[in-house]
Amino acid sequence: MKKLNSRFKLIPILAVLVFFLTSCAESLPVKECIEADSYGFFGGLWHGIIAPFSFVASLFMDSVALYAVNNNGGWYDFGFVLGAGILFGGSGKAS
């Protein structure tokens, strides 16, 4: 029973930590984004991790996008999918 209580105490702490880490995310206007350096694997990884928060923010703000338009293609996509899988427990116990 004590293990269960300690897990419930850990969830709000992790939620606050994730909130503070994702608040550092930067967004650029599309015209500036296209002219700037393109995002690679690590940019895709980070965008995949913060995807749920970016989605919620994009519902209320037009300046927030879920996916970077200016990316280098396959490596960005791979990082994005991997980041989203990490966040949602993509290697979960399927058995």
Side-chain angles (χ1 to χ4, degrees), residues 70-91:
N70 187 25
N71 63 63
N72 67 357
W75 283 112
Y76 176 84
D77 294 339
F78 178 65
F80 188 87
V81 170
L82 189 63
I86 288 170
L87 182 67
F88 295 117
S91 65

PDB file of all heavy atoms in Angstrom, residues 70-91:
ATOM      1  N   ASN A  70       9.885  23.495 -41.090  1.00  0.00           N
ATOM      2  CA  ASN A  70      11.262  23.553 -41.579  1.00  0.00           C
ATOM      3  C   ASN A  70      12.077  22.424 -40.936  1.00  0.00           C
ATOM      4  O   ASN A  70      12.708  22.609 -39.911  1.00  0.00           O
ATOM      5  CB  ASN A  70      11.864  24.918 -41.251  1.00  0.00           C
ATOM      6  CG  ASN A  70      13.209  25.104 -41.883  1.00  0.00           C
ATOM      7  OD1 ASN A  70      13.504  24.489 -42.889  1.00  0.00           O
ATOM      8  ND2 ASN A  70      14.015  25.951 -41.303  1.00  0.00           N
ATOM      9  N   ASN A  71      12.041  21.240 -41.526  1.00  0.00           N
ATOM     10  CA  ASN A  71      12.792  20.109 -40.986  1.00  0.00           C
ATOM     11  C   ASN A  71      13.592  19.458 -42.096  1.00  0.00           C
ATOM     12  O   ASN A  71      13.404  19.754 -43.268  1.00  0.00           O
ATOM     13  CB  ASN A  71      11.857  19.103 -40.303  1.00  0.00           C
ATOM     14  CG  ASN A  71      10.866  18.484 -41.249  1.00  0.00           C
ATOM     15  OD1 ASN A  71      11.245  17.793 -42.186  1.00  0.00           O
ATOM     16  ND2 ASN A  71       9.579  18.722 -41.009  1.00  0.00           N
ATOM     17  N   ASN A  72      14.485  18.554 -41.718  1.00  0.00           N
ATOM     18  CA  ASN A  72      15.358  17.935 -42.720  1.00  0.00           C
ATOM     19  C   ASN A  72      14.823  16.595 -43.230  1.00  0.00           C
ATOM     20  O   ASN A  72      15.549  15.829 -43.818  1.00  0.00           O
ATOM     21  CB  ASN A  72      16.780  17.793 -42.183  1.00  0.00           C
ATOM     22  CG  ASN A  72      16.889  16.811 -41.039  1.00  0.00           C
ATOM     23  OD1 ASN A  72      15.898  16.261 -40.593  1.00  0.00           O
ATOM     24  ND2 ASN A  72      18.098  16.609 -40.560  1.00  0.00           N
ATOM     25  N   GLY A  73      13.574  16.296 -42.998  1.00  0.00           N
ATOM     26  CA  GLY A  73      12.959  15.109 -43.583  1.00  0.00           C
ATOM     27  C   GLY A  73      12.931  13.911 -42.664  1.00  0.00           C
ATOM     28  O   GLY A  73      12.403  13.969 -41.560  1.00  0.00           O
ATOM     29  N   GLY A  74      13.514  12.818 -43.134  1.00  0.00           N
ATOM     30  CA  GLY A  74      13.407  11.526 -42.452  1.00  0.00           C
ATOM     31  C   GLY A  74      13.935  11.502 -41.034  1.00  0.00           C
ATOM     32  O   GLY A  74      13.318  10.897 -40.155  1.00  0.00           O
ATOM     33  N   TRP A  75      15.062  12.143 -40.782  1.00  0.00           N
ATOM     34  CA  TRP A  75      15.610  12.110 -39.430  1.00  0.00           C
ATOM     35  C   TRP A  75      14.732  12.881 -38.455  1.00  0.00           C
ATOM     36  O   TRP A  75      14.569  12.482 -37.308  1.00  0.00           O
ATOM     37  CB  TRP A  75      17.042  12.643 -39.400  1.00  0.00           C
ATOM     38  CG  TRP A  75      18.011  11.637 -39.913  1.00  0.00           C
ATOM     39  CD1 TRP A  75      18.725  11.707 -41.064  1.00  0.00           C
ATOM     40  CD2 TRP A  75      18.345  10.384 -39.305  1.00  0.00           C
ATOM     41  NE1 TRP A  75      19.485  10.573 -41.211  1.00  0.00           N
ATOM     42  CE2 TRP A  75      19.272   9.747 -40.138  1.00  0.00           C
ATOM     43  CE3 TRP A  75      17.952   9.736 -38.143  1.00  0.00           C
ATOM     44  CZ2 TRP A  75      19.818   8.509 -39.856  1.00  0.00           C
ATOM     45  CZ3 TRP A  75      18.485   8.497 -37.851  1.00  0.00           C
ATOM     46  CH2 TRP A  75      19.405   7.892 -38.695  1.00  0.00           C
ATOM     47  N   TYR A  76      14.159  13.989 -38.893  1.00  0.00           N
ATOM     48  CA  TYR A  76      13.234  14.731 -38.037  1.00  0.00           C
ATOM     49  C   TYR A  76      12.006  13.874 -37.738  1.00  0.00           C
ATOM     50  O   TYR A  76      11.564  13.780 -36.595  1.00  0.00           O
ATOM     51  CB  TYR A  76      12.802  16.045 -38.701  1.00  0.00           C
ATOM     52  CG  TYR A  76      11.777  16.793 -37.884  1.00  0.00           C
ATOM     53  CD1 TYR A  76      12.171  17.622 -36.846  1.00  0.00           C
ATOM     54  CD2 TYR A  76      10.422  16.657 -38.126  1.00  0.00           C
ATOM     55  CE1 TYR A  76      11.244  18.291 -36.078  1.00  0.00           C
ATOM     56  CE2 TYR A  76       9.483  17.320 -37.367  1.00  0.00           C
ATOM     57  CZ  TYR A  76       9.895  18.142 -36.348  1.00  0.00           C
ATOM     58  OH  TYR A  76       8.975  18.798 -35.571  1.00  0.00           O
ATOM     59  N   ASP A  77      11.460  13.243 -38.769  1.00  0.00           N
ATOM     60  CA  ASP A  77      10.285  12.382 -38.584  1.00  0.00           C
ATOM     61  C   ASP A  77      10.578  11.241 -37.619  1.00  0.00           C
ATOM     62  O   ASP A  77       9.761  10.924 -36.750  1.00  0.00           O
ATOM     63  CB  ASP A  77       9.823  11.809 -39.919  1.00  0.00           C
ATOM     64  CG  ASP A  77       9.306  12.881 -40.862  1.00  0.00           C
ATOM     65  OD1 ASP A  77       8.937  13.967 -40.376  1.00  0.00           O
ATOM     66  OD2 ASP A  77       9.287  12.624 -42.077  1.00  0.00           O
ATOM     67  N   PHE A  78      11.747  10.616 -37.780  1.00  0.00           N
ATOM     68  CA  PHE A  78      12.126   9.525 -36.888  1.00  0.00           C
ATOM     69  C   PHE A  78      12.232  10.009 -35.445  1.00  0.00           C
ATOM     70  O   PHE A  78      11.733   9.359 -34.524  1.00  0.00           O
ATOM     71  CB  PHE A  78      13.457   8.917 -37.342  1.00  0.00           C
ATOM     72  CG  PHE A  78      13.945   7.810 -36.462  1.00  0.00           C
ATOM     73  CD1 PHE A  78      13.244   6.622 -36.349  1.00  0.00           C
ATOM     74  CD2 PHE A  78      15.123   7.954 -35.741  1.00  0.00           C
ATOM     75  CE1 PHE A  78      13.695   5.594 -35.540  1.00  0.00           C
ATOM     76  CE2 PHE A  78      15.581   6.937 -34.925  1.00  0.00           C
ATOM     77  CZ  PHE A  78      14.864   5.752 -34.826  1.00  0.00           C
ATOM     78  N   GLY A  79      12.853  11.161 -35.238  1.00  0.00           N
ATOM     79  CA  GLY A  79      12.962  11.729 -33.893  1.00  0.00           C
ATOM     80  C   GLY A  79      11.605  12.074 -33.318  1.00  0.00           C
ATOM     81  O   GLY A  79      11.337  11.846 -32.141  1.00  0.00           O
ATOM     82  N   PHE A  80      10.707  12.611 -34.160  1.00  0.00           N
ATOM     83  CA  PHE A  80       9.366  12.969 -33.700  1.00  0.00           C
ATOM     84  C   PHE A  80       8.596  11.733 -33.226  1.00  0.00           C
ATOM     85  O   PHE A  80       8.004  11.728 -32.146  1.00  0.00           O
ATOM     86  CB  PHE A  80       8.603  13.673 -34.828  1.00  0.00           C
ATOM     87  CG  PHE A  80       7.291  14.258 -34.404  1.00  0.00           C
ATOM     88  CD1 PHE A  80       7.232  15.534 -33.877  1.00  0.00           C
ATOM     89  CD2 PHE A  80       6.117  13.545 -34.539  1.00  0.00           C
ATOM     90  CE1 PHE A  80       6.027  16.081 -33.480  1.00  0.00           C
ATOM     91  CE2 PHE A  80       4.909  14.070 -34.149  1.00  0.00           C
ATOM     92  CZ  PHE A  80       4.862  15.348 -33.615  1.00  0.00           C
ATOM     93  N   VAL A  81       8.627  10.693 -34.039  1.00  0.00           N
ATOM     94  CA  VAL A  81       7.914   9.453 -33.677  1.00  0.00           C
ATOM     95  C   VAL A  81       8.535   8.820 -32.439  1.00  0.00           C
ATOM     96  O   VAL A  81       7.823   8.346 -31.543  1.00  0.00           O
ATOM     97  CB  VAL A  81       7.905   8.467 -34.871  1.00  0.00           C
ATOM     98  CG1 VAL A  81       7.398   7.103 -34.458  1.00  0.00           C
ATOM     99  CG2 VAL A  81       7.069   9.026 -35.990  1.00  0.00           C
ATOM    100  N   LEU A  82       9.854   8.820 -32.359  1.00  0.00           N
ATOM    101  CA  LEU A  82      10.534   8.264 -31.193  1.00  0.00           C
ATOM    102  C   LEU A  82      10.195   9.071 -29.935  1.00  0.00           C
ATOM    103  O   LEU A  82       9.927   8.495 -28.877  1.00  0.00           O
ATOM    104  CB  LEU A  82      12.043   8.245 -31.441  1.00  0.00           C
ATOM    105  CG  LEU A  82      12.896   7.509 -30.430  1.00  0.00           C
ATOM    106  CD1 LEU A  82      12.545   6.030 -30.425  1.00  0.00           C
ATOM    107  CD2 LEU A  82      14.358   7.707 -30.737  1.00  0.00           C
ATOM    108  N   GLY A  83      10.192  10.388 -30.047  1.00  0.00           N
ATOM    109  CA  GLY A  83       9.853  11.236 -28.900  1.00  0.00           C
ATOM    110  C   GLY A  83       8.430  11.027 -28.438  1.00  0.00           C
ATOM    111  O   GLY A  83       8.149  10.956 -27.239  1.00  0.00           O
ATOM    112  N   ALA A  84       7.501  10.924 -29.365  1.00  0.00           N
ATOM    113  CA  ALA A  84       6.111  10.668 -28.995  1.00  0.00           C
ATOM    114  C   ALA A  84       5.978   9.279 -28.369  1.00  0.00           C
ATOM    115  O   ALA A  84       5.219   9.085 -27.419  1.00  0.00           O
ATOM    116  CB  ALA A  84       5.206  10.788 -30.214  1.00  0.00           C
ATOM    117  N   GLY A  85       6.734   8.311 -28.876  1.00  0.00           N
ATOM    118  CA  GLY A  85       6.706   6.960 -28.307  1.00  0.00           C
ATOM    119  C   GLY A  85       7.274   6.920 -26.911  1.00  0.00           C
ATOM    120  O   GLY A  85       6.775   6.197 -26.042  1.00  0.00           O
ATOM    121  N   ILE A  86       8.313   7.710 -26.657  1.00  0.00           N
ATOM    122  CA  ILE A  86       8.899   7.778 -25.316  1.00  0.00           C
ATOM    123  C   ILE A  86       7.887   8.339 -24.339  1.00  0.00           C
ATOM    124  O   ILE A  86       7.698   7.810 -23.242  1.00  0.00           O
ATOM    125  CB  ILE A  86      10.181   8.639 -25.327  1.00  0.00           C
ATOM    126  CG1 ILE A  86      11.306   7.901 -26.036  1.00  0.00           C
ATOM    127  CG2 ILE A  86      10.599   9.013 -23.908  1.00  0.00           C
ATOM    128  CD1 ILE A  86      12.522   8.770 -26.300  1.00  0.00           C
ATOM    129  N   LEU A  87       7.213   9.394 -24.742  1.00  0.00           N
ATOM    130  CA  LEU A  87       6.254  10.037 -23.846  1.00  0.00           C
ATOM    131  C   LEU A  87       5.075   9.124 -23.532  1.00  0.00           C
ATOM    132  O   LEU A  87       4.629   9.040 -22.395  1.00  0.00           O
ATOM    133  CB  LEU A  87       5.750  11.340 -24.457  1.00  0.00           C
ATOM    134  CG  LEU A  87       4.771  12.111 -23.583  1.00  0.00           C
ATOM    135  CD1 LEU A  87       5.496  12.630 -22.341  1.00  0.00           C
ATOM    136  CD2 LEU A  87       4.152  13.235 -24.336  1.00  0.00           C
ATOM    137  N   PHE A  88       4.572   8.450 -24.545  1.00  0.00           N
ATOM    138  CA  PHE A  88       3.384   7.611 -24.357  1.00  0.00           C
ATOM    139  C   PHE A  88       3.714   6.176 -23.989  1.00  0.00           C
ATOM    140  O   PHE A  88       2.840   5.319 -24.025  1.00  0.00           O
ATOM    141  CB  PHE A  88       2.511   7.665 -25.602  1.00  0.00           C
ATOM    142  CG  PHE A  88       1.937   9.014 -25.872  1.00  0.00           C
ATOM    143  CD1 PHE A  88       2.264   9.692 -27.018  1.00  0.00           C
ATOM    144  CD2 PHE A  88       1.098   9.610 -24.963  1.00  0.00           C
ATOM    145  CE1 PHE A  88       1.754  10.950 -27.272  1.00  0.00           C
ATOM    146  CE2 PHE A  88       0.574  10.847 -25.202  1.00  0.00           C
ATOM    147  CZ  PHE A  88       0.900  11.533 -26.346  1.00  0.00           C
ATOM    148  N   GLY A  89       4.952   5.882 -23.677  1.00  0.00           N
ATOM    149  CA  GLY A  89       5.326   4.524 -23.277  1.00  0.00           C
ATOM    150  C   GLY A  89       5.224   3.553 -24.425  1.00  0.00           C
ATOM    151  O   GLY A  89       4.604   2.491 -24.292  1.00  0.00           O
ATOM    152  N   GLY A  90       5.818   3.880 -25.538  1.00  0.00           N
ATOM    153  CA  GLY A  90       5.741   3.064 -26.740  1.00  0.00           C
ATOM    154  C   GLY A  90       6.261   1.647 -26.577  1.00  0.00           C
ATOM    155  O   GLY A  90       5.890   0.763 -27.304  1.00  0.00           O
ATOM    156  N   SER A  91       7.126   1.423 -25.609  1.00  0.00           N
ATOM    157  CA  SER A  91       7.626   0.069 -25.403  1.00  0.00           C
ATOM    158  C   SER A  91       6.921  -0.599 -24.234  1.00  0.00           C
ATOM    159  O   SER A  91       7.504  -1.386 -23.510  1.00  0.00           O
ATOM    160  CB  SER A  91       9.138   0.122 -25.152  1.00  0.00           C
ATOM    161  OG  SER A  91       9.393   0.803 -23.931  1.00  0.00           O
TER     162      SER A  91
END
